[in-house]
Amino acid sequence: MRHIAIIGSGPAGYYTAEAAQKRWGEAVRVDIFDRLPVPFGLIRTGVAPDHQSIKGVARRYEKTALTDHVRFVGNVTIGDQVGVGELQALYDAVILATGAPEDRTLGLEGQDLRNVFGSAGFVGWYNGHPQFAALDPDLSGKHAVVIGMGNVALDVARILAKTEREFSASDIVAHALDRLKTSGIETITILGRRGPHNILMTPKELGELAQLESASPRVDPADLPPIDEDAILEPGLRKSVTHLRSFAAIPQSEHAGKPVGIHFDFYASPQALLGDDGRVQAVRVERTAVMGGRPIGTGETYELPADLVVSCIGYRTTPIPDVPFDERGGHFANEHGRISPGLYCVGWAKRGPSGTIGTNRPDGYAVIDLVAEDIADGADKRGREGFDELAQARGLKVVTFSDWQKIEQAEIAAAREGAPREKFVDIASMIAARD
Ligand code: NAP
């Protein structure tokens, strides 16, 4: 018998469990740990609430979760309540699938001013992550600045721009919907330190900006490179740039009917966040020129008014005591997923925050190939039986998958009309719903 512990119940965790199940069937026991009492990680608290079709992949993870020998062990923080070394003594392989839940920081003067947020916090707030439910962003000002030109920046800009009606079929949490309903935001500026050919926004998601009820995307035609230069781009990026070109061609008369402007500000590198009374009021920006793919400051600066700033510049994995960490990469130090004998990592915890949800599938299968090479038939470890004793001795309040199903039923029952669920946003309410 092989005993495998997976830490983290997001896409990387569940694809890894699926791979272990497919490979060994009856001859493996998999425990998937999560610090939250609810599973699915980024699917629940990262994917935008108005992207329900993407969230549908959770049904596939549910299939894995409901197979006989895969368990969800929620509400347990590994590295705090239970050490990684303790798990290694019980399981043949411990696989860290903890994602990258922390923001990369801007490192700029003024980054700690009020109403400046990183995307982990801001996205967590509108998605009901218990850690960020109390974030309390002030959306009463007119000007929002979103830093970065990746898909997270796009999510944040779109959520800020949508009307109440556009959220009707989403699972945005009530505290965020209430705040967004009364938002005073009129301009959302997306700052990119490089040009249109360097965006990391994917075409489907970028195209959504042209479909919004009361907001429209605005691109200065002068920022676009000559059209024949698009030919060298890879097809996905070329499609995204084609969207930018169509945004630049929207006539003024069409913008007039849309009170909220989503402005793309290219060649614009943030230099400092400025404020009075401890609260952000503006972003000082330096114009750049792109040389050899890198943004080079031109010395020309300007100030953009900003009542709210959300920095969407990427994420880092949270280090775990005694696990080697690659500071530059912001993930666990590893060789193709191996950290040390018996300890592995997968997904964003292995390679950093890139790719789509589906990228985690081959990652999960690849790490199970490594585990199979290393552990053969297993070393007669105690696995879940040993963990259950430890959990009892420590008084841990473990949440199981069937507990989660009760929590989910309560969330579905509490949904606004037309919405799939109303999430619990604090751990105590989640636990109360299963009791
Ligand atoms: P990302 O794709 O890496 O984009 C980060 C952006 O921040 C880039 O435009 C980058 O510009 C910019 N940036 C980095 N450091 C900066 C700095 N110091 N100052 C100014 N700008 C800076 O990261 P992400 O948007 O967080 O997305 C993470 C992953 O999740 C990606 O793989 C993304 O596709 C995925 N995701 C997918 C979806 C979806 O498919 N619907 C939704 C959300 C996220 P440079 O390029 O110049 O470095």
Side-chain angles (χ1 to χ4, degrees), residues 78-344:
I78 304 302
D80 177 14
Q81 290 166 304
V82 178
V84 168
E86 288 179 300
L87 284 188
Q88 285 191 265
L90 295 170
Y91 295 85
D92 295 300
V94 174
I95 305 172
L96 304 175
T98 49
E102 292 185 17
D103 286 308
R104 286 188 53 223
T105 50
L106 281 168
L108 296 181
E109 175 196 328
Q111 66 181 8
D112 297 323
L113 289 167
R114 272 201 320 282
N115 238 27
V116 175
F117 304 102
S119 52
F122 197 76
V123 171
W125 169 72
Y126 63 62
N127 260 329
H129 192 301
Q131 193 181 341
F132 303 110
L135 198 73
D136 200 24
D138 180 352
L139 308 185
S140 63
K142 283 189 182 163
H143 304 294
V145 172
V146 176
I147 301 175
M149 286 201 178
N151 280 328
V152 172
L154 206 45
D155 280 348
V156 167
R158 189 183 67 256
I159 295 293
L160 285 173
K162 277 197 165 179
T163 60
E164 181 180 6
R165 190 163 40 184
E166 289 175 292
F167 285 119
S168 59
S170 80
D171 66 352
I172 192 162
V173 292
H175 65 227
L177 184 58
D178 287 346
R179 190 61 59 91
L180 286 159
K181 263 182 343 204
T182 56
S183 160
I185 292 170
E186 292 173 4
T187 69
I188 301 163
T189 303
I190 307 180
L191 279 187
R193 59 184 175 179
R194 299 190 291 155
H197 277 188
N198 309 108
I199 60 170
L200 297 176
M201 297 164 165
T202 44
K204 182 168 168 289
E205 285 70 22
L206 186 56
E208 287 176 49
L209 293 191
Q211 312 300 328
L212 298 175
E213 186 174 300
S214 70
S216 62
R218 303 176 193 200
V219 168
D220 181 348
D223 283 338
L224 295 168
I227 197 161
D228 52 346
E229 290 181 15
D230 292 1
I232 53 158
L233 302 176
E234 64 77 22
L237 180 56
R238 193 160 61 231
K239 269 195 198 160
S240 290
V241 173
T242 303
H243 280 305
L244 294 177
R245 293 191 186 281
S246 68
F247 298 166
I250 296 174
Q252 200 49 44
S253 56
E254 250 181 65
H255 291 315
K258 307 267 176 135
V260 177
I262 303 174
H263 300 264
F264 284 79
D265 197 353
F266 296 105
Y267 306 106
S269 176
Q271 296 297 296
L273 307 183
L274 313 172
D276 210 7
D277 269 352
R279 192 196 149 96
V280 73
Q281 288 178 319
V283 182
R284 189 166 63 236
V285 181
E286 181 177 20
R287 258 302 152 239
T288 64
V290 174
M291 287 185 216
R294 294 170 59 87
I296 309 292
T298 61
E300 179 198 339
T301 62
Y302 57 98
E303 282 182 23
L304 261 183
D307 303 296
L308 166 77
V309 174
V310 186
S311 149
C312 307
I313 62 165
Y315 297 109
R316 291 169 61 81
T317 296
T318 310
I320 295 181
D322 304 325
V323 178
F325 197 77
D326 172 346
E327 282 297 335
R328 270 194 71 165
H331 50 73
F332 297 115
N334 71 91
E335 286 274 337
H336 308 294
R338 283 190 179 97
I339 299 176
S340 57
L343 186 60
Y344 306 81

